[in-house]
Amino acid sequence: MELQGLNDLLVFKFDKDGKLVTDESKGGLTTNIGKDGVFKIDLESSKGATQANITGLSRTAQAVYGSNAKAEQHFGAYQITGTFGANDIPHNFYDAIVGLEKDSKLGFGNMAKDSTPLAYGGVIAHSCNSNIGVDLYFALPYGNLKPGGDLTMGTDNENPTLVHDTFTLNAAARPSDGLVYEKFYSDEDGFDFDKMLDWIISGTVAGSGTEDPTHKSADQGGTGDPKKDQTTSTGTH
């Protein structure tokens, strides 16, 4: 399906036990869409989302030979990285997203020590096909959030030198069921935005506990059969 543009990004964070963090004093994100712990990066909040570059969606195949022929083929683990950007994420939200903590001097710092906790969370990127009016939501439900790689500031000249915000998510299998990524399409029968959020954030859907929202495709990082690999704490679907 052809995609045009980037509408917005939805970002949320987890604690060390994989639970959604909603308390801002503990690194949670104040919501601007009515869903606790979920922050929407869009034109209104951040002067617009600018990029969602997701790499590593294909696993590397490794052939095993025997008796002068290819005997087996194995696939390595996913190495998915999402690089996301916006023009002007409010600094308190950006620092919370990437796991910086306010210190006694009221700055936001990151300590160079092995015990520094990692920031875990997920991102949903929203784009669309304008030809047929279908929205795509591409979800990376779990991974390590960290700042963009570099910060380069320079002098203004006849044009201003602007530094925009970027952050990355190194995706990992969701601890509850191994889900690595999932795609949702708004024209699928039964698609529901709130159910999608519940499923991606908690692994369950309000009202059923075992029903997932209708989606076009999902990848579990296991056998390739979602019915076999996708198991929640309340049942298998």
Side-chain angles (χ1 to χ4, degrees):
M1 185 178 80
E2 177 183 278
L3 297 175
Q4 179 179 336
L6 177 63
N7 296 56
D8 51 70
L9 303 167
L10 300 172
V11 190
F12 42 92
K13 292 184 63 181
F14 299 116
D15 63 18
K16 61 182 180 61
D17 298 316
K19 302 298 183 182
L20 178 68
V21 180
T22 58
D23 187 341
E24 187 175 357
S25 68
K26 297 180 180 179
L29 304 177
T30 301
T31 185
N32 57 353
I33 64 167
K35 177 71 173 179
D36 288 345
V38 180
F39 179 67
K40 183 178 182 179
I41 296 173
D42 62 3
L43 190 62
E44 182 177 359
S45 72
S46 309
K47 293 188 178 179
T50 57
Q51 63 172 312
N53 300 327
I54 300 168
T55 61
L57 295 176
S58 296
R59 292 185 290 177
T60 301
Q62 180 180 4
V64 178
Y65 289 85
S67 299
N68 303 320
K70 184 186 290 186
E72 296 179 323
Q73 186 163 271
H74 300 286
F75 291 89
Y78 281 105
Q79 301 291 328
I80 299 176
T81 299
T83 302
F84 305 98
N87 283 319
D88 188 11
I89 302 173
H91 70 82
N92 54 319
F93 285 99
Y94 179 84
D95 291 339
I97 288 170
V98 300
L100 300 184
E101 298 183 358
K102 183 178 289 188
D103 61 23
S104 60
K105 301 293 190 298
L106 301 183
F108 292 82
N110 195 350
M111 304 301 291
K113 57 183 181 180
D114 293 338
S115 60
T116 299
L118 297 175
Y120 288 100
V123 179
I124 302 175
H126 174 203
S127 185
C128 70
N129 181 312
S130 60
N131 297 321
I132 54 178
V134 174
D135 291 292
L136 165 72
Y137 296 89
F138 193 106
L140 296 176
Y142 186 81
N144 171 222
L145 290 162
K146 60 181 185 178
D150 300 303
L151 175 62
T152 302
M153 296 178 282
T155 183
D156 286 343
N157 43 46
E158 63 271 19
N159 296 307
T161 298
L162 302 175
V163 179
H164 299 300
D165 298 311
T166 62
F167 62 94
T168 65
L169 184 146
N170 293 323
R174 185 165 64 181
S176 63
D177 60 4
L179 182 68
V180 180
Y181 71 88
E182 190 156 1
K183 299 164 71 176
F184 300 85
Y185 299 90
S186 63
D187 64 339
E188 286 290 296
D189 291 338
F191 173 79
D192 181 274
F193 179 82
D194 291 326
K195 287 184 177 181
M196 175 192 71
L197 278 182
D198 287 341
W199 170 246
I200 291 300
I201 292 172
S202 66
T204 60
V205 177
S208 68
T210 59
E211 176 190 359
D212 67 340
T214 300
H215 52 81
K216 193 70 173 180
S217 64
D219 204 310
Q220 298 304 117
T223 66
D225 183 348
K227 292 183 179 180
K228 293 180 180 179
D229 295 332
Q230 192 167 323
T231 305
T232 68
S233 59
T234 54
T236 303
H237 56 279

